[in-house]
Amino acid sequence: MIHEERFKLIEKKGVKYFIIPEFEETHLVNHGFTTRIGGLSKSPFNSLNLGLKTDDNRENVIENFKIICDVFENTIDRAVLSDQVHKTDIKIVTNKDIGKGLVKNKDYKDIDGLVTNEPDVMLFTFFADCVPIFFLDKVKKVVGLAHGGWRGTVDKISGKMIDIMKKNYSSDPNDILVGIGPSIGQCCYEVGADVYKRFNTNFTSVSNVLKPTGEGKWKLNLWEANKVVLEESGVPCRNIIISEVCTSCNSDIFFSYRKENGITGRMAAIIQLK
Ligand SMILES: [Zn+2]
């Protein structure tokens, strides 16, 4: 069951994707979080697989990029792709970077976040259970995306993004909207003592983030953890929109790394200033 109140599921040209109504209302961006619906790839990558690092047929993945760029009324040569490694480095993207990772080679690596203040540059990050985090400074007109698995979350990639937006674009956190998209929910995300210890070290309190299930296991709430980090960075609670949709509970519409034992495709978070 999908709760659609916070992120909204829409369909365009046969592609289903989520938008954040608060972002849409600014009229500043094209953005979305894709589902697995609307592409060409065959099982187990069916069908809108955007993961170039998966074992899927590369031509099909490129075709899927063309499909999603068309939905966004853009072309693949305007895309800039991340190079995700579960760390917290964020790349400042400019018009010189367009096409990198898709129609051109990347000249960067180990990048889990992208940010830009230039229009018509499509930022792409990739997911199958990790948390997509969308950023929009509606005053300074800056957009960003971050990839937050448990490692990126515990190392506070969301806070690093806010710091970069403040430092490079003079953003005021009060003006920044943040969308925390579909990912594995606390319902389905059991972790062990290694993860618990890292959160207990980096967070002042873990009681709202990790729920003990007994036998040295916990259930991790990545949405709440990222919200805590964002509030520490000065983003008001009212600016943070959490989808509260679990990818593992809904593998009919999402690729889920855990549910599908690692053999699956990737969804994308996409944002572009108009
Ligand atoms: Zn779940």
Side-chain angles (χ1 to χ4, degrees):
M1 160 112 197
I2 302 283
H3 301 275
E4 287 186 29
E5 298 84 20
R6 292 165 162 268
F7 275 49
K8 194 172 164 213
L9 186 61
I10 63 171
E11 182 170 351
K12 194 170 164 189
K13 300 184 182 181
V15 172
K16 286 189 178 178
Y17 62 102
F18 285 85
I19 57 162
I20 311 163
E22 286 83 347
F23 279 47
E24 203 68 6
E25 283 159 17
T26 67
H27 302 292
L28 294 172
V29 291
N30 289 322
H31 78 289
F33 184 68
T34 63
T35 65
R36 64 190 302 164
I37 298 170
L40 296 175
S41 296
K42 306 289 177 236
S43 177
F45 306 106
N46 53 308
S47 60
L48 191 64
N49 175 28
L50 298 168
L52 281 166
K53 294 177 181 176
T54 61
D55 289 330
D56 193 3
N57 174 300
R58 187 179 166 89
E59 285 70 41
N60 283 348
V61 179
I62 300 288
E63 284 304 311
N64 290 337
F65 271 102
K66 288 181 183 165
I67 288 169
I68 192 66
C69 288
D70 182 50
V71 165
F72 282 80
E73 293 168 3
N74 216 321
T75 49
I76 59 169
D77 58 335
R78 306 297 307 184
V80 181
L81 276 54
S82 56
D83 186 58
Q84 294 165 207
V85 287
H86 294 278
K87 291 185 180 169
T88 60
D89 287 340
I90 295 166
K91 177 178 170 60
I92 294 169
V93 175
T94 70
N95 209 41
K96 292 192 184 89
D97 297 308
I98 59 164
K100 288 181 185 172
L102 198 53
V103 298
K104 279 185 210 166
N105 288 330
K106 289 175 202 154
D107 53 3
Y108 48 87
K109 64 186 196 75
D110 301 353
I111 291 295
D112 281 83
L114 299 169
V115 61
T116 191
N117 69 343
E118 297 193 15
D120 204 25
V121 176
M122 291 182 90
L123 306 181
F124 276 80
T125 50
F126 303 94
F127 304 87
D129 288 340
C130 289
V131 189
I133 311 162
F134 294 77
F135 298 82
L136 169 59
D137 177 341
K138 52 193 194 301
V139 174
K140 296 292 190 324
K141 299 192 174 77
V142 182
V143 292
L145 295 174
H147 163 243
W150 78 262
R151 292 173 195 278
T153 299
V154 78
D155 290 329
K156 304 192 176 179
I157 192 168
S158 332
K160 289 192 180 177
M161 180 67 84
I162 301 299
D163 287 346
I164 285 179
M165 291 172 77
K166 282 160 68 176
K167 187 163 161 250
N168 289 278
Y169 307 108
S170 306
S171 291
D172 177 343
N174 288 299
D175 301 328
I176 302 174
L177 296 175
V178 184
I180 298 176
S183 78
I184 194 161
Q186 191 169 29
C187 41
C188 295
Y189 196 22
E190 193 169 68
V191 297
D194 52 332
V195 175
Y196 178 84
K197 278 182 196 154
R198 291 289 313 281
F199 275 92
N200 210 20
T201 304
N202 286 10
F203 283 63
T204 47
S205 167
V206 293
S207 56
N208 290 334
V209 170
L210 286 145
K211 194 166 69 183
T213 59
E215 297 171 15
K217 299 279 186 190
W218 288 263
K219 283 198 163 170
L220 173 56
N221 187 338
L222 290 170
W223 308 330
E224 178 64 24
N226 280 288
K227 183 167 174 269
V228 166
V229 172
L230 289 159
E231 288 182 326
E232 271 175 11
S233 300
V235 179
C237 179
R238 66 175 178 276
N239 288 16
I240 303 170
I241 304 110
I242 304 181
S243 77
E244 292 177 0
V245 173
C246 172
T247 47
S248 180
C249 285
N250 298 286
S251 56
D252 54 332
I253 67 160
F254 297 115
F255 299 114
S256 172
Y257 192 88
R258 278 211 165 190
K259 184 80 174 281
E260 297 166 281
N261 299 312
I263 304 161
T264 191
R266 296 291 181 278
M267 285 90 64
I270 304 163
I271 196 164
Q272 174 220 317
L273 282 167
K274 286 182 185 169

PDB file of all heavy atoms in Angstrom, residues 36 44-45 54-55 128-129 184 188 247-249 251 254-266:
ATOM      1  N   ARG A  36      10.089   1.427 -11.237  1.00  0.00           N
ATOM      2  CA  ARG A  36      10.571   0.463 -12.228  1.00  0.00           C
ATOM      3  C   ARG A  36       9.652   0.398 -13.450  1.00  0.00           C
ATOM      4  O   ARG A  36       9.909  -0.387 -14.378  1.00  0.00           O
ATOM      5  CB  ARG A  36      10.772  -0.912 -11.590  1.00  0.00           C
ATOM      6  CG  ARG A  36       9.514  -1.573 -11.057  1.00  0.00           C
ATOM      7  CD  ARG A  36       9.842  -2.808 -10.232  1.00  0.00           C
ATOM      8  NE  ARG A  36      10.589  -3.796 -10.983  1.00  0.00           N
ATOM      9  CZ  ARG A  36      11.268  -4.811 -10.424  1.00  0.00           C
ATOM     10  NH1 ARG A  36      11.290  -4.954  -9.122  1.00  0.00           N
ATOM     11  NH2 ARG A  36      11.893  -5.671 -11.177  1.00  0.00           N
ATOM     12  N   PRO A  44      15.667  -9.663 -14.570  1.00  0.00           N
ATOM     13  CA  PRO A  44      15.159  -9.057 -13.326  1.00  0.00           C
ATOM     14  C   PRO A  44      15.284  -7.536 -13.288  1.00  0.00           C
ATOM     15  O   PRO A  44      15.158  -6.945 -12.226  1.00  0.00           O
ATOM     16  CB  PRO A  44      16.075  -9.697 -12.267  1.00  0.00           C
ATOM     17  CG  PRO A  44      17.395  -9.832 -12.975  1.00  0.00           C
ATOM     18  CD  PRO A  44      17.057 -10.134 -14.422  1.00  0.00           C
ATOM     19  N   PHE A  45      15.542  -6.917 -14.463  1.00  0.00           N
ATOM     20  CA  PHE A  45      15.762  -5.469 -14.498  1.00  0.00           C
ATOM     21  C   PHE A  45      14.518  -4.730 -15.013  1.00  0.00           C
ATOM     22  O   PHE A  45      14.604  -3.557 -15.363  1.00  0.00           O
ATOM     23  CB  PHE A  45      16.984  -5.150 -15.373  1.00  0.00           C
ATOM     24  CG  PHE A  45      18.218  -5.894 -14.946  1.00  0.00           C
ATOM     25  CD1 PHE A  45      18.701  -6.974 -15.688  1.00  0.00           C
ATOM     26  CD2 PHE A  45      18.880  -5.539 -13.781  1.00  0.00           C
ATOM     27  CE1 PHE A  45      19.831  -7.672 -15.290  1.00  0.00           C
ATOM     28  CE2 PHE A  45      20.012  -6.236 -13.364  1.00  0.00           C
ATOM     29  CZ  PHE A  45      20.487  -7.305 -14.119  1.00  0.00           C
ATOM     30  N   THR A  54      24.732  -2.162 -13.411  1.00  0.00           N
ATOM     31  CA  THR A  54      24.085  -3.463 -13.242  1.00  0.00           C
ATOM     32  C   THR A  54      24.474  -4.368 -14.420  1.00  0.00           C
ATOM     33  O   THR A  54      25.087  -3.915 -15.392  1.00  0.00           O
ATOM     34  CB  THR A  54      22.550  -3.322 -13.197  1.00  0.00           C
ATOM     35  OG1 THR A  54      22.103  -2.750 -14.434  1.00  0.00           O
ATOM     36  CG2 THR A  54      22.101  -2.425 -12.046  1.00  0.00           C
ATOM     37  N   ASP A  55      24.074  -5.639 -14.340  1.00  0.00           N
ATOM     38  CA  ASP A  55      24.398  -6.587 -15.415  1.00  0.00           C
ATOM     39  C   ASP A  55      23.392  -6.549 -16.569  1.00  0.00           C
ATOM     40  O   ASP A  55      23.403  -7.422 -17.437  1.00  0.00           O
ATOM     41  CB  ASP A  55      24.463  -8.015 -14.852  1.00  0.00           C
ATOM     42  CG  ASP A  55      25.695  -8.189 -13.970  1.00  0.00           C
ATOM     43  OD1 ASP A  55      26.707  -7.517 -14.241  1.00  0.00           O
ATOM     44  OD2 ASP A  55      25.629  -8.978 -13.003  1.00  0.00           O
ATOM     45  N   ALA A 128      18.465   1.673  -5.072  1.00  0.00           N
ATOM     46  CA  ALA A 128      17.636   0.474  -4.924  1.00  0.00           C
ATOM     47  C   ALA A 128      17.627   0.142  -3.436  1.00  0.00           C
ATOM     48  O   ALA A 128      18.346  -0.742  -2.993  1.00  0.00           O
ATOM     49  CB  ALA A 128      18.196  -0.683  -5.738  1.00  0.00           C
ATOM     50  N   ASP A 129      16.897   0.921  -2.663  1.00  0.00           N
ATOM     51  CA  ASP A 129      16.712   0.852  -1.196  1.00  0.00           C
ATOM     52  C   ASP A 129      17.358   1.998  -0.429  1.00  0.00           C
ATOM     53  O   ASP A 129      16.891   2.347   0.653  1.00  0.00           O
ATOM     54  CB  ASP A 129      17.195  -0.457  -0.547  1.00  0.00           C
ATOM     55  CG  ASP A 129      16.316  -1.654  -0.858  1.00  0.00           C
ATOM     56  OD1 ASP A 129      15.142  -1.437  -1.255  1.00  0.00           O
ATOM     57  OD2 ASP A 129      16.792  -2.786  -0.722  1.00  0.00           O
ATOM     58  N   ILE A 184      14.234   1.888   1.607  1.00  0.00           N
ATOM     59  CA  ILE A 184      13.871   0.835   2.543  1.00  0.00           C
ATOM     60  C   ILE A 184      13.442   1.489   3.865  1.00  0.00           C
ATOM     61  O   ILE A 184      14.107   2.395   4.365  1.00  0.00           O
ATOM     62  CB  ILE A 184      15.023  -0.182   2.708  1.00  0.00           C
ATOM     63  CG1 ILE A 184      14.517  -1.444   3.395  1.00  0.00           C
ATOM     64  CG2 ILE A 184      16.219   0.429   3.424  1.00  0.00           C
ATOM     65  CD1 ILE A 184      15.415  -2.662   3.217  1.00  0.00           C
ATOM     66  N   CYS A 188      11.474  -2.830   7.283  1.00  0.00           N
ATOM     67  CA  CYS A 188      12.197  -3.892   6.561  1.00  0.00           C
ATOM     68  C   CYS A 188      13.712  -3.848   6.721  1.00  0.00           C
ATOM     69  O   CYS A 188      14.406  -4.661   6.115  1.00  0.00           O
ATOM     70  CB  CYS A 188      11.888  -3.797   5.067  1.00  0.00           C
ATOM     71  SG  CYS A 188      10.176  -4.134   4.672  1.00  0.00           S
ATOM     72  N   THR A 247      10.571   0.885  -0.203  1.00  0.00           N
ATOM     73  CA  THR A 247      10.847   0.222  -1.481  1.00  0.00           C
ATOM     74  C   THR A 247      10.770  -1.304  -1.363  1.00  0.00           C
ATOM     75  O   THR A 247      10.348  -1.983  -2.296  1.00  0.00           O
ATOM     76  CB  THR A 247      12.242   0.634  -1.990  1.00  0.00           C
ATOM     77  OG1 THR A 247      13.192   0.523  -0.922  1.00  0.00           O
ATOM     78  CG2 THR A 247      12.233   2.066  -2.491  1.00  0.00           C
ATOM     79  N   SER A 248      11.151  -1.834  -0.205  1.00  0.00           N
ATOM     80  CA  SER A 248      11.138  -3.289  -0.023  1.00  0.00           C
ATOM     81  C   SER A 248       9.708  -3.830   0.105  1.00  0.00           C
ATOM     82  O   SER A 248       9.411  -4.924  -0.372  1.00  0.00           O
ATOM     83  CB  SER A 248      11.972  -3.642   1.220  1.00  0.00           C
ATOM     84  OG  SER A 248      11.976  -5.020   1.435  1.00  0.00           O
ATOM     85  N   CYS A 249       8.829  -3.062   0.725  1.00  0.00           N
ATOM     86  CA  CYS A 249       7.418  -3.469   0.849  1.00  0.00           C
ATOM     87  C   CYS A 249       6.673  -3.368  -0.476  1.00  0.00           C
ATOM     88  O   CYS A 249       5.585  -3.915  -0.609  1.00  0.00           O
ATOM     89  CB  CYS A 249       6.678  -2.575   1.842  1.00  0.00           C
ATOM     90  SG  CYS A 249       7.040  -2.892   3.569  1.00  0.00           S
ATOM     91  N   SER A 251       7.915  -3.906  -3.929  1.00  0.00           N
ATOM     92  CA  SER A 251       8.831  -4.233  -5.025  1.00  0.00           C
ATOM     93  C   SER A 251       8.098  -4.441  -6.351  1.00  0.00           C
ATOM     94  O   SER A 251       8.720  -4.676  -7.380  1.00  0.00           O
ATOM     95  CB  SER A 251       9.704  -5.438  -4.675  1.00  0.00           C
ATOM     96  OG  SER A 251       8.896  -6.522  -4.335  1.00  0.00           O
ATOM     97  N   PHE A 254       9.009  -0.744  -7.216  1.00  0.00           N
ATOM     98  CA  PHE A 254      10.399  -0.320  -6.984  1.00  0.00           C
ATOM     99  C   PHE A 254      11.374  -1.478  -7.160  1.00  0.00           C
ATOM    100  O   PHE A 254      11.057  -2.620  -6.823  1.00  0.00           O
ATOM    101  CB  PHE A 254      10.581   0.196  -5.554  1.00  0.00           C
ATOM    102  CG  PHE A 254       9.778   1.407  -5.215  1.00  0.00           C
ATOM    103  CD1 PHE A 254       8.772   1.341  -4.260  1.00  0.00           C
ATOM    104  CD2 PHE A 254      10.030   2.630  -5.817  1.00  0.00           C
ATOM    105  CE1 PHE A 254       8.031   2.467  -3.926  1.00  0.00           C
ATOM    106  CE2 PHE A 254       9.295   3.757  -5.485  1.00  0.00           C
ATOM    107  CZ  PHE A 254       8.289   3.672  -4.535  1.00  0.00           C
ATOM    108  N   PHE A 255      12.603  -1.168  -7.591  1.00  0.00           N
ATOM    109  CA  PHE A 255      13.710  -2.108  -7.461  1.00  0.00           C
ATOM    110  C   PHE A 255      14.121  -2.097  -5.991  1.00  0.00           C
ATOM    111  O   PHE A 255      14.258  -1.029  -5.401  1.00  0.00           O
ATOM    112  CB  PHE A 255      14.897  -1.673  -8.323  1.00  0.00           C
ATOM    113  CG  PHE A 255      14.601  -1.601  -9.795  1.00  0.00           C
ATOM    114  CD1 PHE A 255      14.618  -0.390 -10.479  1.00  0.00           C
ATOM    115  CD2 PHE A 255      14.311  -2.766 -10.507  1.00  0.00           C
ATOM    116  CE1 PHE A 255      14.354  -0.336 -11.848  1.00  0.00           C
ATOM    117  CE2 PHE A 255      14.060  -2.721 -11.878  1.00  0.00           C
ATOM    118  CZ  PHE A 255      14.073  -1.497 -12.542  1.00  0.00           C
ATOM    119  N   SER A 256      14.287  -3.283  -5.403  1.00  0.00           N
ATOM    120  CA  SER A 256      14.712  -3.358  -3.998  1.00  0.00           C
ATOM    121  C   SER A 256      15.880  -4.320  -3.879  1.00  0.00           C
ATOM    122  O   SER A 256      15.731  -5.527  -4.087  1.00  0.00           O
ATOM    123  CB  SER A 256      13.563  -3.825  -3.105  1.00  0.00           C
ATOM    124  OG  SER A 256      14.046  -4.058  -1.788  1.00  0.00           O
ATOM    125  N   TYR A 257      17.040  -3.776  -3.547  1.00  0.00           N
ATOM    126  CA  TYR A 257      18.266  -4.571  -3.456  1.00  0.00           C
ATOM    127  C   TYR A 257      18.117  -5.687  -2.432  1.00  0.00           C
ATOM    128  O   TYR A 257      18.474  -6.832  -2.677  1.00  0.00           O
ATOM    129  CB  TYR A 257      19.430  -3.647  -3.088  1.00  0.00           C
ATOM    130  CG  TYR A 257      20.781  -4.282  -3.231  1.00  0.00           C
ATOM    131  CD1 TYR A 257      21.462  -4.252  -4.447  1.00  0.00           C
ATOM    132  CD2 TYR A 257      21.385  -4.930  -2.154  1.00  0.00           C
ATOM    133  CE1 TYR A 257      22.700  -4.831  -4.591  1.00  0.00           C
ATOM    134  CE2 TYR A 257      22.635  -5.516  -2.285  1.00  0.00           C
ATOM    135  CZ  TYR A 257      23.292  -5.473  -3.502  1.00  0.00           C
ATOM    136  OH  TYR A 257      24.514  -6.055  -3.644  1.00  0.00           O
ATOM    137  N   ARG A 258      17.533  -5.365  -1.275  1.00  0.00           N
ATOM    138  CA  ARG A 258      17.407  -6.378  -0.221  1.00  0.00           C
ATOM    139  C   ARG A 258      16.356  -7.425  -0.571  1.00  0.00           C
ATOM    140  O   ARG A 258      16.581  -8.623  -0.422  1.00  0.00           O
ATOM    141  CB  ARG A 258      17.057  -5.700   1.115  1.00  0.00           C
ATOM    142  CG  ARG A 258      18.275  -5.154   1.818  1.00  0.00           C
ATOM    143  CD  ARG A 258      18.103  -5.194   3.329  1.00  0.00           C
ATOM    144  NE  ARG A 258      19.408  -5.001   3.971  1.00  0.00           N
ATOM    145  CZ  ARG A 258      19.647  -5.167   5.259  1.00  0.00           C
ATOM    146  NH1 ARG A 258      18.674  -5.531   6.075  1.00  0.00           N
ATOM    147  NH2 ARG A 258      20.845  -4.982   5.750  1.00  0.00           N
ATOM    148  N   LYS A 259      15.197  -6.956  -1.031  1.00  0.00           N
ATOM    149  CA  LYS A 259      14.099  -7.878  -1.339  1.00  0.00           C
ATOM    150  C   LYS A 259      14.478  -8.827  -2.476  1.00  0.00           C
ATOM    151  O   LYS A 259      14.096  -9.987  -2.484  1.00  0.00           O
ATOM    152  CB  LYS A 259      12.860  -7.037  -1.714  1.00  0.00           C
ATOM    153  CG  LYS A 259      11.595  -7.803  -1.980  1.00  0.00           C
ATOM    154  CD  LYS A 259      10.913  -8.198  -0.669  1.00  0.00           C
ATOM    155  CE  LYS A 259       9.557  -8.834  -0.906  1.00  0.00           C
ATOM    156  NZ  LYS A 259       8.519  -7.828  -1.183  1.00  0.00           N
ATOM    157  N   GLU A 260      15.261  -8.325  -3.429  1.00  0.00           N
ATOM    158  CA  GLU A 260      15.591  -9.121  -4.619  1.00  0.00           C
ATOM    159  C   GLU A 260      17.015  -9.665  -4.581  1.00  0.00           C
ATOM    160  O   GLU A 260      17.595  -9.981  -5.625  1.00  0.00           O
ATOM    161  CB  GLU A 260      15.325  -8.272  -5.870  1.00  0.00           C
ATOM    162  CG  GLU A 260      13.844  -7.920  -5.977  1.00  0.00           C
ATOM    163  CD  GLU A 260      13.548  -6.820  -6.976  1.00  0.00           C
ATOM    164  OE1 GLU A 260      13.747  -5.634  -6.671  1.00  0.00           O
ATOM    165  OE2 GLU A 260      13.106  -7.153  -8.079  1.00  0.00           O
ATOM    166  N   ASN A 261      17.559  -9.749  -3.365  1.00  0.00           N
ATOM    167  CA  ASN A 261      18.882 -10.348  -3.144  1.00  0.00           C
ATOM    168  C   ASN A 261      19.981  -9.798  -4.044  1.00  0.00           C
ATOM    169  O   ASN A 261      20.841 -10.536  -4.520  1.00  0.00           O
ATOM    170  CB  ASN A 261      18.793 -11.879  -3.281  1.00  0.00           C
ATOM    171  CG  ASN A 261      17.846 -12.467  -2.259  1.00  0.00           C
ATOM    172  OD1 ASN A 261      17.921 -12.135  -1.081  1.00  0.00           O
ATOM    173  ND2 ASN A 261      16.933 -13.312  -2.713  1.00  0.00           N
ATOM    174  N   GLY A 262      19.922  -8.498  -4.273  1.00  0.00           N
ATOM    175  CA  GLY A 262      21.012  -7.823  -4.974  1.00  0.00           C
ATOM    176  C   GLY A 262      20.941  -7.868  -6.489  1.00  0.00           C
ATOM    177  O   GLY A 262      21.689  -7.158  -7.152  1.00  0.00           O
ATOM    178  N   ILE A 263      20.054  -8.710  -7.038  1.00  0.00           N
ATOM    179  CA  ILE A 263      19.980  -8.807  -8.504  1.00  0.00           C
ATOM    180  C   ILE A 263      18.756  -8.040  -8.968  1.00  0.00           C
ATOM    181  O   ILE A 263      17.644  -8.572  -9.056  1.00  0.00           O
ATOM    182  CB  ILE A 263      19.934 -10.274  -8.975  1.00  0.00           C
ATOM    183  CG1 ILE A 263      21.152 -11.019  -8.417  1.00  0.00           C
ATOM    184  CG2 ILE A 263      19.906 -10.354 -10.500  1.00  0.00           C
ATOM    185  CD1 ILE A 263      20.988 -12.519  -8.422  1.00  0.00           C
ATOM    186  N   THR A 264      18.978  -6.758  -9.237  1.00  0.00           N
ATOM    187  CA  THR A 264      17.857  -5.908  -9.600  1.00  0.00           C
ATOM    188  C   THR A 264      18.373  -4.648 -10.280  1.00  0.00           C
ATOM    189  O   THR A 264      19.584  -4.466 -10.426  1.00  0.00           O
ATOM    190  CB  THR A 264      17.016  -5.569  -8.347  1.00  0.00           C
ATOM    191  OG1 THR A 264      15.798  -4.958  -8.737  1.00  0.00           O
ATOM    192  CG2 THR A 264      17.759  -4.634  -7.392  1.00  0.00           C
ATOM    193  N   GLY A 265      17.451  -3.787 -10.695  1.00  0.00           N
ATOM    194  CA  GLY A 265      17.831  -2.548 -11.375  1.00  0.00           C
ATOM    195  C   GLY A 265      17.972  -1.384 -10.411  1.00  0.00           C
ATOM    196  O   GLY A 265      18.054  -1.575  -9.198  1.00  0.00           O
ATOM    197  N   ARG A 266      18.047  -0.184 -10.977  1.00  0.00           N
ATOM    198  CA  ARG A 266      18.179   1.034 -10.170  1.00  0.00           C
ATOM    199  C   ARG A 266      17.160   2.080 -10.609  1.00  0.00           C
ATOM    200  O   ARG A 266      16.940   2.280 -11.809  1.00  0.00           O
ATOM    201  CB  ARG A 266      19.571   1.652 -10.331  1.00  0.00           C
ATOM    202  CG  ARG A 266      20.709   0.784  -9.814  1.00  0.00           C
ATOM    203  CD  ARG A 266      20.724   0.636  -8.307  1.00  0.00           C
ATOM    204  NE  ARG A 266      21.842  -0.184  -7.844  1.00  0.00           N
ATOM    205  CZ  ARG A 266      21.861  -1.521  -7.828  1.00  0.00           C
ATOM    206  NH1 ARG A 266      20.797  -2.203  -8.250  1.00  0.00           N
ATOM    207  NH2 ARG A 266      22.904  -2.174  -7.404  1.00  0.00           N
TER     208      ARG A 266
END
